[in-house]
């Protein structure tokens, strides 16, 4: 059962617990800012509110029960409320009603009114929260910093937590880590559980784990992995132990840096805690397939999926995973059989979009492998989001995710592999629309907290030409290189990190290919362009290619050779990047009919290229075409 305490309709505290048969004995209490709910003799779920709901409006009590339940006994106790509000209650009332400036003035009056030390501390804490609401961050930060250093059992701790959360929201990781180290030396978990609202604790933990959400895993590196590992320490400190969801996030973080051994260990630990979780079984099987441990993966999948001679209805999505296992072992007829079993038992609206799109992608790849192009395209079209959405609405008309006309990057629906599969399917079926491309760009650049590591690419794409980006996204999976990538992603023969970076590499490759080269690209140019995409990605991940250079290159692509464009960025590039970039830009400028600038760029590529390298040969060929009578200096610098 999931037990929740909601404040104004929003979950403020929640716990998943197991109840074994018989009657339910529920006890709910509220005393001042503390609300507690207990089921039978299980531990109580408690929420402490920094701003208790005021008593100026009449309260009510109601029960909403299923038709099969009945109340055996009901006992209510109520304390008499004080005749006049407490010193801070008026301020809480104003703050709850968004009258923030008035609340701030009231809290300041209480600090100066000669009240007790605890009331003065509480008033200063709430002044800081008002200042944050009013966007007066510097004043709020000073108040929180001073209060956190004072002695006291509650409000200094709350102030330190608020300051911690503030630093995390603004990605001030060094200061946040210092606050954590200080708190962990001076407080215990049980003090947090009693003194801090669950919502505030969750804010801190979530800020660390934002690193592993959706497209944030693109460009993931060891430095960010350290913050995710720190998140586990934080959650153990704040919540007592890490949740299953947090461990999955850490597992994916390790997979994003291709640390397969640590990921495998985490997967086994997760299977012990949640042996029937489909997502964990899928992660584990993917990891085992990557290590060639097919039998181990198949045994875990079949343990959940099989029920006697039939399939367990709750685990039918694992048929997709079983098909991938068969494909990895070249057992194609068995893979096709598992996919047909899935489609025979699961309607599109009954499956999540993640599973439905994956099944349609794999089914189409199996048809394509046999040369049945029409059946493949039909399968891919069945996996498109609008098809799934329409089927979902017929089953659940009020589903908020399905009601959205277009996939939205903020929705959990398109938080990760769903978007990758969505993009592959729309491209392979030749159904990518402008709004689909916009959704992909939003997904790449969205982040719930702070700045997306890839947001600069959204700016760059706007500088280049949004229409060309849409054209590239639509065709990038239909090229020979793109089709091979789609196959590796669909069958998950690619690693987790490769699946996340492949859309970005292909988008860059296809955009540049269409904008710089005419007709069919030569094999040597194709290889050079792909290696350049990989080098740029690696440089960006390692911090060797800052965002400002992306903008300058985008301007150079548009034709700017001055300091704002190529002249400004070229001197800062290492030769291993500058040479290939100059060569590609040379082709771009030939397309723009600016042969003089193209010749200069090809010469830069020639000079930066190592002797006897393919790049040097290619640049020399282009220079000879542009100036056949000119001599080329071949002395290496």
């Amino acid at each position: 059962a999931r037990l929740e305490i909601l404040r104004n309709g929003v979950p403020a505290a929640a716990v998943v617990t197991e109840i074994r048969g018989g009657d339910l004995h529920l006890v709910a209490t509220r005393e001042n800012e503390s609300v507690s709910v207990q089921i039978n003799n299980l531990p109580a779920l408690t929420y402490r509110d920094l701003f208790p709901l005021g008593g100026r409006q009449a309260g009510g009590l109601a029960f909403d029960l299923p038709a099969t339940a009945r109340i055996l006994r009901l006992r209510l106790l109520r304390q008499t409320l004080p005749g006049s509000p407490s010193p801070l209650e008026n301020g809480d009332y104003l703050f709850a009603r968004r009258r923030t400036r008035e609340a701030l003035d009231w809290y300041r009056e209480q600090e100066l009114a000669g009240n007790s030390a605890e009331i003065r501390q509480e008033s200063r804490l709430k002044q800081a929260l008002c200042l944050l609401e009013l966007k007066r961050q510097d004043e709020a930060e000073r108040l929180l910093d001073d209060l956190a250093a004072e002695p006291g059992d509650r409000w200094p701790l709350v102030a330190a937590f608020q300051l911690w959360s503030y630093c995390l929201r603004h990605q001030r990781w060094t200061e946040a880590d210092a606050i954590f180290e200080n708190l962990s030396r001076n407080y215990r978990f049980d003090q947090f559980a009693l003194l801090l609202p669950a919502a505030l604790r969750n804010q801190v933990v979530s800020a660390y784990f934002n690193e592993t959400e959706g497209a944030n895993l693109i460009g993931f590196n060891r430095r960010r992995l350290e913050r995710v590992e720190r998140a586990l320490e934080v959650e153990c400190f704040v919540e007592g132990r890490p949740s299953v969801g947090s461990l999955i996030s850490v597992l994916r973080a390790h997979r994003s840096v291709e640390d397969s051994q640590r990921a495998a260990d985490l997967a086994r630990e997760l299977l012990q805690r949640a042996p029937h979780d489909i997502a964990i079984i899928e992660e584990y099987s993917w990891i085992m397939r990557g290590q060639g441990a097919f039998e181990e993966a198949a045994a875990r999948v079949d343990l959940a999926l099989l029920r006697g001679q039939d399939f367990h209805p709750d685990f039918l999505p694992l048929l997709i995973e079983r098909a991938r296992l068969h494909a990895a072992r070249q057992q194609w007829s068995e893979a096709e059989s598992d996919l047909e079993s899935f489609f025979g038992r699961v309607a599109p609206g009954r499956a999540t979009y993640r599973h439905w799109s994956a099944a349609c992608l794999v089914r189409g790849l199996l048809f394509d492998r046999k040369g049945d192009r029409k059946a493949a395209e039909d399968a891919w079209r069945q996996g498109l989001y609008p098809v799934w959405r329409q089927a979902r609405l017929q089953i659940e008309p009020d589903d908020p995710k399905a009601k959205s006309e277009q996939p939205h990057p903020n929705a959990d629906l398109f938080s990760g592999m769903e978007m990758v599969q969505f993009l592959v399917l729309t491209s392979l079926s030749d159904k990518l629309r402008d709004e689909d491309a916009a959704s992909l760009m939003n997904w790449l650049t969205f982040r719930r907290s702070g700045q997306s590591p890839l947001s600069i690419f959204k700016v760059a794409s706007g500088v280049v030409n949004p229409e060309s980006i849409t054209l590239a996204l639509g065709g990038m999976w239909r090229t020979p290189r793109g089709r091979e990538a789609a196959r590796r992603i669909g069958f998950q023969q690619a690693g987790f990190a490769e699946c996340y970076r492949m859309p970005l590499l292909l988008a860059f490759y296809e955009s540049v290919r269409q904008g710089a080269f005419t007709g069919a690209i030569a094999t040597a140019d194709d290889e050079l362009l792909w290696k350049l995409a990989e080098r740029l990605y690696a440089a960006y991940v390692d911090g060797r290619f800052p965002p400002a250079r992306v903008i300058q290159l985008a301007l150079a692509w548009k034709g700017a050779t001055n300091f704002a464009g190529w002249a400004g960025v070229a001197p800062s590039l290492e030769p291993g990047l500058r040479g290939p970039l100059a060569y590609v830009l040379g082709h771009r400028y030939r397309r723009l009919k600016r042969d003089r600038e193209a010749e200069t760029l090809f010469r830069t590529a020639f000079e930066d290229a190592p002797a006897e390298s393919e790049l040097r040969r290619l640049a020399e060929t282009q220079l000879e075409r542009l100036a056949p009578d000119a001599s080329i200096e071949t002395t290496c610098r």
Side-chain angles (χ1 to χ4, degrees), residues 180-201:
F180 168 64
E181 295 294 344
N182 184 52
L183 287 171
S184 61
R185 283 195 304 268
N186 295 294
Y187 293 95
R188 304 181 311 275
F189 158 70
D190 55 356
Q191 292 173 286
F192 291 128
L194 289 173
L195 296 176
L196 290 170
L200 181 55
R201 303 200 306 269

Side-chain angles (χ1 to χ4, degrees), residues 441 456-467 469 551 554 558:
M441 192 57 67
I456 195 68
F457 289 108
K458 186 173 185 178
V459 178
S461 68
V463 171
V464 174
N465 186 351
E467 291 76 17
I469 298 296
I551 295 296
K558 291 282 284 186

Side-chain angles (χ1 to χ4, degrees), residues 391-412:
R392 186 75 164 190
L393 285 175
Q394 291 176 0
I395 297 171
E396 299 183 38
D398 296 325
D399 183 351
K401 292 179 182 178
K403 286 176 71 175
S404 174
E405 181 62 30
Q406 293 299 329
H408 195 275
N410 300 18
D412 292 336

Side-chain angles (χ1 to χ4, degrees), residues 6-8 12 30-35 46-54 92 95-96 122 126 154-155 194-199:
L6 296 96
R7 188 189 196 282
N8 292 332
R30 170 175 171 196
E31 184 173 355
N32 296 324
E33 77 276 16
S34 181
V35 178
T46 300
Y47 171 69
R48 296 192 71 170
D49 201 345
L50 290 178
F51 295 91
L53 295 173
D92 295 343
F95 188 87
E122 182 179 355
K126 293 183 176 179
R154 182 181 184 191
W155 300 110
L194 289 173
L195 296 176
L196 290 170

